[in-house]
């Protein structure tokens, strides 16, 4: 059996586990995958988090990607970080940089097994702050400077690729070089609040090509996770155009998410009842959920490619991202909404029902950190939404 | 960077952990964060056996690897050594 087939059958423990520690956040990014903003009062306590780490250690989950929300906002964040590292669970945490002071940077530089990932969605303040909110570019760059000056090695700069920043890839690389950091490029998925802005932010077809060509030329020094395997279909049908990275959807097989209240989902981009595998408090711990959840068993059983099976690129592209299909209302066994062979265009243009979000932690009223694009987009509630995915057949119809 | 030879003593590097999996094992290096898949149970047995074997040859014999397959196993060990998963051991005083 090839390794990728083993992955499809699932591993005894995940290799890419994300743990969102809190839904609280100082920012309100327009495309937040977890619709974060407010803390959930049922958030796991410090002791419960320690128990999760103990279990990850027993399962030999060697490292965990910690995110949120803004994880550093939790008062016990630094304690949990040290606790994890002391228990052989390495930590890579994502932050907007708000708490990376010179003192914290010095502490981070003194630890082993900790990776820091600063989110930056534009190589200029104009592009970044448009989606992440005013001041967020400066915050991120200050954090990067503090890390560099403290001697922290190889921070990661994590970029969600959008219509507005695909043209800035070289500039992002220049920022990474300036701060001795590594660039990490990820895909904008229509998850969380990302569903609201996906239509206007996801890269245009020619930009997908630009991104693919850039990754072919520079991909070796750039991290992408499982973001872009659907772009492999730009290459020859023999799959030789595949990019470095995980080339399959690992949801529930090698990838998984623990949310702030202990709910376990198949993937960080799939926070929805349909991909909820269980709760580690209610269902006997994480290991039990990972190994016995019926949802995960289903995801690990042989999948059919649906309309994609006829496509000569299926072996490389595998139909793309499950979450992207789900949240755009496309069938899970068909082409990705950003299928580079254009096979989803008809389906996207036709009648489809976009699933309603099953949770939202957004702040009820805008704050001064809210990105401008959201303010622009706010529409009067008296009228139904109008757009490619208008849910009401009467949308936009004024008698 | 040296390459494991049949008559040399080698061992798993101290900061490497092996996690058993249906196909063999995952090797994770806490220092350089590299993750390598050991795709055969026999290779896992060889790697685990290295530290208490006199040399690579006896680890291969101990794991029951037929001599004809030694070159491919040596190549696998070389890959692991390149990622600092394996290190050459000092020979114990007799
Ligand atoms: S659903 Fe998408 S984001 Fe999640 S593991 Fe699959 S490909 Fe990756
Ligand atoms: S049809 Fe399916 S397999 Fe082919 S390129 Fe599109 S998403 Fe990929």
């Amino acid at each position: 059996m090839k390794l990728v087939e083993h992955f499809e059958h699932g591993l005894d423990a995940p290799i890419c586990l994300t743990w969102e520690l809190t839904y609280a956040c100082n920012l309100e990014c327009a495309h937040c995958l977890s619709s974060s903003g407010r803390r959930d009062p049922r958030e796991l306590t410090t002791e419960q988090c320690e128990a999760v780490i103990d279990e990850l250690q027993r399962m030999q989950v060697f490292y965990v990607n910690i995110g949120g929300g803004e994880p550093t906002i939790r008062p016990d964040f630094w304690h949990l970080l040290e606790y994890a590292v002391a228990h052989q669970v390495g930590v890579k945490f994502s932050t907007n940089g708000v708490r990376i002071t010179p003192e914290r940077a010095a502490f981070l530089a003194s630890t082993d097994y900790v990776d820091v990932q600063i989110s930056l969605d534009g190589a200029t303040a104009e592009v970044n702050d448009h989606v992440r909110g005013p001041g967020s570019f400066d915050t991120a760059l200050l954090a990067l400077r503090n890390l560099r000056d403290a001697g922290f090695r190889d921070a990661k700069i994590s970029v969600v690729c959008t219509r507005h920043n695909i043209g800035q890839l070289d500039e992002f690389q220049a920022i990474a070089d300036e701060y001795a950091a590594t660039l990490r490029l990820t895909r904008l998925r229509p998850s969380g609040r990302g569903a609201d802005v996906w239509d206007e932010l996801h890269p245009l077809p020619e930009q997908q090509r630009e991104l693919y060509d850039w990754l072919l030329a520079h991909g070796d020094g750039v991290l992408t996770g499982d973001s872009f395997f659907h772009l492999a279909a730009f290459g020859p049908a023999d799959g030789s155009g595949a990019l470095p990275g995980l080339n399959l959807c690992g949801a529930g097989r090698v990838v998984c998410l623990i949310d702030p209240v202990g709910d376990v989902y198949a993937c960080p981009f799939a926070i929805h009842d349909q991909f909820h595998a269980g709760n580690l408090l209610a269902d006997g711990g994480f290991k039990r959920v990972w190994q016995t959840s019926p949802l995960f068993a289903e995801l690990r059983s042989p999948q059919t490619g649906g309309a994609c099976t006829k496509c000569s690129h299926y072996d490389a592209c595998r139909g793309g991202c499950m979450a992207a299909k789900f949240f755009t209302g496309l069938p899970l066994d068909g082409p990705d909404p950003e299928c580079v062979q254009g096979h989803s265009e008809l389906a996207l243009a036709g009648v489809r029902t976009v699933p309603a979000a099953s949770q939202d932690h957004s702040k009820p009223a805008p704050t001064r950190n809210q990105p401008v694009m959201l303010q622009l987009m706010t529409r009067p509630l008296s009228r139904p939404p109008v757009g490619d995915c208008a849910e009401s057949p009467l949308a936009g119809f004024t008698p | 960077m040296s390459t494991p030879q049949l008559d040399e003593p080698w061992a798993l590097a101290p900061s490497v952990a092996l996690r058993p999996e249906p196909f063999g094992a995952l090797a994770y290096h806490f220092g350089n964060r590299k993750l390598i898949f050991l795709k055969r149970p026999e290779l896992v047995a060889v790697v685990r056996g290295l530290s208490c074997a006199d040399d690579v040859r006896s680890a291969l014999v101990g794991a029951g690897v037929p001599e004809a397959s030694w070159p491919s196993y040596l190549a696998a060990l070389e890959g692991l050594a390149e990622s600092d998963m394996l290190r050459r051991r000092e020979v114990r005083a007799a």
Side-chain angles (χ1 to χ4, degrees), chain A residues 233 308 311 313-314 317-319 335-336 339 341 343:
Chain A
C308 286
C311 170
H313 296 280
Y314 183 66
C317 159
R318 294 172 173 269
D336 188 284
C339 165
Q341 295 293 320
H343 293 306

Side-chain angles (χ1 to χ4, degrees), chain A residues 3 6-7 10-15 59-63 88-91 112-115 152, chain B residues 15-24 26-33 35 37-39 48:
Chain A
L3 194 59
H6 282 292
F7 283 2
L11 301 183
D12 285 357
I15 48 178
M59 290 175 79
Q60 288 191 285
V61 173
F62 300 122
Y63 65 94
Q88 273 110 45
V89 179
V91 170
D112 258 341
Y113 313 147
V114 177
D115 257 346
F152 185 88
Chain B
S15 47
V16 174
L18 292 182
R19 177 173 110 193
E21 283 294 345
F23 54 85
L26 288 178
Y28 183 70
H29 192 302
F30 282 95
N32 61 26
R33 275 92 148 170
L35 190 62
F37 301 90
L38 308 186
K39 291 178 234 171
R48 284 197 194 280

Side-chain angles (χ1 to χ4, degrees), chain A residues 229-234 305 307-321 325 333-344:
Chain A
F229 62 92
H230 65 297
L231 299 183
F234 274 129
C308 286
T309 358
K310 293 198 289 292
C311 170
S312 59
H313 296 280
Y314 183 66
D315 280 348
C317 159
R318 294 172 173 269
C321 169
K325 295 186 246 199
D333 64 348
D336 188 284
E338 293 180 299
C339 165
V340 302
Q341 295 293 320
H343 293 306
S344 59

Side-chain angles (χ1 to χ4, degrees), chain A residues 116-199:
Chain A
V116 186
Q117 189 163 286
I118 309 279
S119 304
L120 192 71
D121 295 334
T124 52
E126 187 196 11
V127 172
N128 179 81
D129 294 2
H130 180 64
V131 287
R132 303 189 57 82
S136 57
F137 182 82
D138 293 341
T139 303
L141 261 70
L142 178 61
L144 283 166
R145 187 171 326 128
N146 288 341
L147 287 167
R148 182 194 56 194
D149 294 351
F152 185 88
R153 282 178 43 245
D154 200 22
K156 311 288 180 289
I157 299 180
S158 188
V159 176
V160 176
C161 295
T162 67
R163 198 169 295 183
H164 303 308
N165 68 23
I166 292 280
Q168 298 187 313
L169 294 174
D170 288 331
E171 289 161 84
F172 280 117
Q173 186 60 58
I175 296 178
D177 293 343
E178 184 183 345
Y179 292 100
T182 298
L183 196 57
R184 175 172 181 267
L185 299 178
T186 63
R187 177 175 183 192
L188 172 72
R189 282 122 174 157
S191 313
R193 283 196 296 268
D196 304 335
V197 293
W198 189 79
D199 282 339

